[in-house]
Amino acid sequence: SQQGEEDPQALSIQEGENATMNCSYKTSINNLQWYRQNSGRGLVHLILIRSNEREKHSGRLRVTLDTSKKSSSLLITASRAADTASYFCATVFNAGGTSYGKLTFGQGTILTVHP
Amino acid sequence: DAGITQSPRHKVTETGTPVTLRCHQTENHRYMYWYRQDPGHGLRLIHYSYGVKDTDKGEVSDGYSVSRSKTEDFLLTLESATSSQTSVYFCAISEQGPVQDQPQHFGDGTRLSIL
């Protein structure tokens, strides 16, 4: 399966600390995306990193991609209670030369930030 | 928030009954998707559409059909619901396909219980 695997499954930290979540995948990708899901809500897109990029930043978020290791990490700096959510990585690979590709999600990391 | 409305938001029905879920978008995006989210499986793609009357199967399409007669509406039908189809269903949209480095925008989901 192409599905990304997040690690850890659950992470509990205090406000102000940094949170790091990792994602590993199995085959070559076109891009990798991170999403956040608050309880009872839909997923919200956070950041997309292309296969030829190594690092991207967005506010307090930093994403790295290591295609040689087939892995990515999401760092949230100076976490807040409002960052409490599930975080998913999703990979895109183009099987069979179609123009569509497929977005495949991992099972997510549950982040709890304590005030 | 992206203009995506899913209806109904909650539904309880009995095994063997037909069920139709509706996704309506106001963004005029070409691509629309239906996912289901289950504990231990993350999000899995059921069907997707790349234009009016253009649809294709995803990872878990058995027991589901879709239709898209207008750009703004994407319907998911369970012809004869089974208990294994109890899940939270999410609709998503994107301007272009995943290989074009496009994020997906999600609705808030429909919680479906089949007794």
Side-chain angles (χ1 to χ4, degrees):
Chain A
S1 167
Q2 167 64 19
Q3 185 180 39
E5 299 287 338
E6 284 98 339
D7 173 63
Q9 290 187 326
L11 181 60
S12 181
I13 60 174
Q14 297 295 127
E15 255 187 337
E17 295 180 340
N18 295 341
T20 299
M21 288 158 271
N22 303 295
C23 172
S24 60
Y25 56 92
K26 296 180 180 176
T27 65
S28 296
I29 60 171
N30 293 82
N31 65 69
L32 185 144
Q33 304 177 31
W34 285 91
Y35 289 79
R36 183 187 78 234
Q37 184 180 31
N38 291 88
S39 181
R41 302 296 301 274
L43 279 72
V44 174
H45 181 260
L46 295 176
I47 200 162
L48 181 151
I49 187 165
R50 297 176 176 83
S51 60
N52 60 355
E53 297 175 316
R54 292 297 167 258
E55 187 171 313
K56 285 190 82 168
H57 296 257
S58 177
R60 294 183 295 113
L61 306 181
R62 172 179 168 245
V63 169
T64 61
L65 179 64
D66 187 336
T67 53
S68 66
K69 295 181 179 178
K70 293 185 171 59
S71 68
S72 174
S73 68
L74 169 67
L75 169 67
I76 304 174
T77 59
S79 63
R80 306 165 181 167
D83 294 327
T84 294
S86 294
Y87 291 82
F88 295 88
C89 73
T91 52
V92 177
F93 74 108
N94 191 5
T98 68
S99 61
Y100 165 71
K102 292 187 186 296
L103 185 65
T104 304
F105 288 84
Q107 295 185 28
T109 293
I110 300 171
L111 173 65
T112 303
V113 182
H114 300 280
Chain B
D1 289 345
I4 306 168
T5 304
Q6 291 187 232
S7 58
R9 292 295 315 279
H10 299 89
K11 187 173 182 67
V12 180
T13 191
E14 294 184 347
T15 300
T17 60
V19 177
T20 296
L21 308 183
R22 180 181 184 237
C23 178
H24 178 77
Q25 60 143 332
T26 58
E27 306 296 321
N28 201 35
H29 283 357
R30 178 182 173 192
Y31 287 80
M32 299 185 75
Y33 314 82
W34 277 108
Y35 293 89
R36 59 178 290 175
Q37 185 175 34
D38 304 286
H41 291 281
L43 270 82
R44 293 179 291 174
L45 182 66
I46 305 171
H47 282 281
Y48 66 96
S49 169
Y50 47 96
V52 174
K53 293 189 167 59
D54 292 323
T55 65
D56 204 350
K57 296 179 180 179
E59 180 185 0
V60 289
S61 59
D62 287 348
Y64 301 95
S65 62
V66 290
S67 66
R68 190 168 177 200
S69 59
K70 298 185 290 185
T71 298
E72 58 266 33
D73 290 326
F74 193 32
L75 304 181
L76 176 71
T77 297
L78 291 65
E79 300 289 348
S80 178
T82 67
S83 58
S84 65
Q85 293 175 311
T86 291
S87 186
V88 182
Y89 291 85
F90 287 97
C91 173
I93 65 174
S94 65
E95 287 188 75
Q96 298 185 59
V99 294
Q100 280 79 38
D101 299 335
Q102 290 289 307
Q104 294 184 10
H105 306 284
F106 285 77
D108 279 336
T110 293
R111 186 172 295 274
L112 178 63
S113 297
I114 301 164
L115 307 177

